[in-house]
Amino acid sequence: MSNQRTHRVAVIPGDGIGPEVTSAALDVVAAAGVTFETKSFDLGAARYLRDGFVLDDATLEELRGFDAILLGAVGPAIGDTRIPGGVLERGLLLRLRFGLDLYVNYRPFHGVDGSIAQGCSFAIVRENTEGPYVGEGGVLRRGTAQEVATQGSVNTRFGVERCVRYAFERALALPAPKVTLVHKTNVLTFAGDLWSRVVNEVGAEFPSVVVDYHHVDAACIYLVETPERYGIIVTDNLFGDILSDLAGAVTGGIGYAASANLNPARTGASLFEPVHGAAHDIAGTGRANPLAAVSSTVLMLEHLGEDGAARRIATAVADFDGDVAALGTAGITKNLSERL
């Protein structure tokens, strides 16, 4: 059971089904015997539409002091154009990643029955604070026939190495340790060369780990045709963003996918969230599937040192064989809690 330590967890329920799945996930954690002291933060699309607030310095610093952050889902309903593109993505989600130095995005995948990747387990380690998402670039002569837009990809030795090292450390726990770098080194020669050299140099420190390389376009094919070839995929921010959604699709759907935005150095609170969106169309109907949010709390519990509870919840999720549509949010939560 739990070591009885009370963990301080910030909860950002967010929008749409976010409040429902975070509430369900916290109920499952409680059933596993772990005590969280929680504080809810009203952030997301609804808050922005109400008063224009996204995330200020004071709130960011308050979040830094928690042991962990649980996020539900953030975003407006499909078709709602009242929030300009990038306001929430850059102002909230990316600011949390950059401000808290959440430099690893870790997403484990387990193929559910009936999926393309049935029976396969692998993970993607994505560099989370560099690449094209840092915002380097600009626009000249906007709105004219001569408009020029540039978007640079920032890759530092420091940022790449700490991400790659995390991937190799994770690989050590696999039955057949393997790390595959995914990039586009034949075209992105500068960034690709840096990533390749770092993987080879760090890999030399882990002789028991098999090292491989795939171009990103080939990796898209392999994830569909032979996902069992992967153990840990390590890649940059942009490729990782794309591949992790594809991986979610081939393992059963992003509705089952969990993620951890990690600061392994623990200089800021790590953030855990399901990969799915806010799904406003089913919000309040009791139909939201909380399994991805529950699996995200498994990653949170591992981060907090609650390994026993994490294993029990992971087992309960893996053994879950109920009808998601028939049970709904409350029924799935009850099913998991009773297993614990």
Side-chain angles (χ1 to χ4, degrees), residues 277-290:
H280 288 266
D281 57 323
I282 61 170
T285 67
R287 293 160 50 201
N289 180 355

Side-chain angles (χ1 to χ4, degrees), residues 320-336:
F320 175 79
D321 56 0
D323 185 328
V324 170
L327 288 172
T329 314
I332 296 169
T333 305
K334 183 173 183 290
N335 182 294
L336 295 175

Side-chain angles (χ1 to χ4, degrees), residues 1-2 24-36 110 290-302 306-320 332-333 335-337 339-340:
M1 294 295 288
S2 166
L26 292 172
D27 286 345
V28 173
V29 168
V34 178
T35 302
F36 283 171
H110 310 285
L291 289 174
V294 172
S295 294
S296 297
T297 64
V298 170
L299 302 178
M300 178 189 292
L301 290 167
E302 291 174 351
E306 297 281 1
D307 295 334
R311 284 192 298 270
R312 292 197 306 278
I313 295 176
T315 299
V317 171
D319 292 344
F320 175 79
I332 296 169
T333 305
N335 182 294
L336 295 175
S337 298
R339 291 171 186 268
L340 295 165

Side-chain angles (χ1 to χ4, degrees), residues 62-104:
E62 184 178 2
L63 289 167
R64 186 187 307 279
F66 283 83
D67 296 320
I69 303 168
L70 177 63
L71 173 67
V74 170
I78 294 174
D80 187 340
T81 60
R82 290 176 294 170
I83 303 178
V87 167
L88 294 178
E89 293 85 352
R90 299 204 67 84
L92 177 57
L93 300 176
L94 291 185
R95 191 176 182 201
L96 285 170
R97 293 177 190 174
F98 296 151
L100 300 176
D101 201 19
L102 307 177
Y103 60 86
V104 166

